[in-house]
Amino acid sequence: MSTGAAVTTTGVAAAAAEVPAPPVITIAGPATPRPAPAVMSTAAVSAKIHHYNICNAKREACTIEQAATARDVLVWMAVADGAWFISVNEICVTSFRTLADRLNSAGTFVVSKQRETNCGNQEFGNAIFHPGGVRQDGRAWFLSNPGKTCTDAETECRTMLCLKLGTYAGPMGQCTSHLGAGKESDTIHQAAEYIWNATAWMEPGRRFSLAGDFNLTRDKLPGAYGNMVDLVLGDTFPTRPKTNRQIDYIFVQAFGSHTYKSAYCPTDASDHCYTSGQWRPLDT
């Protein structure tokens, strides 16, 4: 499987022995109380998890205006719902910084492409915002990217990012990834790497979630995902002219209780739907 390195606050992750890890950028966010393990009714401890591919720089799929609307949708949905963790795909680093401010949240950005024209020749990638948790640790990986040189600044390579967080539901983890390798068989392999890397990195007892645009329908996902619960209801792509398949997911472990939510699919925003769900990992 692919290798990774610890998230840093310098914007560059340390190189692993065989394969360098993708660069990361972090924003500390506001000073917040450090959550303690939940000690009251577990029914009151509900982690709200959101995911959105905002189509920030893919001009063949979204206009500048549609990408801007997607950012507004993300802020509106996340704030209104009180989201704990927000996974974002296809985001420019400038949007990452702006959204961190609008969400009043700490966040981590993993670089999938160092220079993207439609990001003003700045970084493009994926991010996690976590207003409902305090980051304890983080790790970023390159997934398998056949035929690509990921050190090339103008090449997009598929990455994944996981954070370990302290929350009022105890220790939790949140991961994000945007899969897609051209050949479907390669994307399936990336999906297997995603769940393998995340599961291997999270210690026993830490409840975690895997979110992202997988570019795979449910019947194509590796069997390991059968042990997870998907919080998303309905098709998620494309929004124009209408949705016809699900490729965006929020997978959580089969602990506790789960609230499934239908995807929200505005046609004037990203070509993906906004997804969210609710998880009470401490329920028995």
Side-chain angles (χ1 to χ4, degrees):
M1 289 298 172
S2 55
T3 58
V7 171
T8 70
T9 56
T10 62
V12 179
E18 297 86 9
V19 181
V24 298
I25 298 167
T26 61
I27 289 178
T32 56
R34 183 167 298 275
V39 293
M40 300 180 68
S41 171
T42 60
V45 183
S46 184
K48 296 179 178 181
I49 306 170
H50 289 216
H51 167 74
Y52 198 21
N53 179 327
I54 65 172
C55 197
N56 201 174
K58 297 297 181 76
R59 293 291 173 260
E60 70 278 10
C62 301
T63 64
I64 294 173
E65 291 76 18
Q66 287 163 340
T69 298
R71 293 193 296 271
D72 291 341
V73 167
L74 185 150
V75 173
W76 171 49
M77 296 288 283
V79 172
D81 193 41
W84 279 27
F85 316 132
I86 306 148
S87 157
V88 188
N89 292 159
E90 293 190 7
I91 182 172
C92 298
V93 71
T94 49
S95 291
F96 167 66
R97 295 189 174 105
T98 298
L99 285 171
D101 183 62
R102 294 178 67 184
L103 293 166
N104 196 31
S105 174
T108 302
F109 176 97
V110 58
V111 179
S112 298
K113 187 176 183 180
Q114 296 176 48
R115 286 203 301 268
E116 164 58 49
T117 302
N118 292 325
C119 292
N121 287 320
Q122 296 188 57
E123 296 92 340
F124 174 76
N126 308 299
I128 298 171
F129 300 100
H130 48 94
V134 175
R135 195 186 73 202
Q136 300 169 324
D137 197 2
R139 191 168 183 180
W141 295 256
F142 277 122
L143 299 174
S144 297
N145 290 274
K148 292 187 175 182
T149 302
C150 296
T151 54
D152 177 56
E154 297 184 355
T155 297
E156 180 184 0
C157 284
R158 302 302 181 172
T159 63
M160 63 173 283
L161 170 70
C162 290
L163 302 180
K164 292 180 180 179
L165 302 149
T167 81
Y168 286 110
M172 296 189 72
Q174 181 62 50
C175 301
T176 187
S177 188
H178 181 202
L179 310 182
K183 289 175 59 178
E184 185 178 80
S185 59
D186 291 335
T187 304
I188 293 171
H189 184 71
Q190 289 177 346
E193 288 183 298
Y194 185 24
I195 193 169
W196 172 269
N197 288 340
T199 302
W201 190 60
M202 299 290 178
E203 70 274 18
R206 183 177 293 274
R207 305 296 191 234
F208 65 90
S209 170
L210 310 176
D213 171 6
F214 283 59
N215 276 308
L216 294 169
T217 53
R218 284 297 298 264
D219 59 310
K220 303 292 185 179
L221 293 175
Y225 288 92
N227 298 321
M228 305 285 281
V229 176
D230 177 27
L231 301 181
V232 180
L233 293 177
D235 293 335
T236 65
F237 180 86
T239 59
R240 298 177 289 276
K242 64 179 181 179
T243 56
N244 58 37
R245 59 193 182 276
Q246 183 185 5
I247 60 174
D248 301 87
Y249 305 93
I250 300 172
F251 284 108
V252 301
Q253 294 167 295
F255 295 105
S257 59
H258 310 87
T259 300
Y260 311 93
K261 290 190 178 182
S262 298
Y264 174 59
C265 308
T267 57
D268 60 344
S270 170
D271 56 340
H272 289 257
C273 300
Y274 191 98
T275 61
S276 64
Q278 198 165 307
W279 184 25
R280 292 178 176 173
L282 301 181
D283 281 359
T284 57

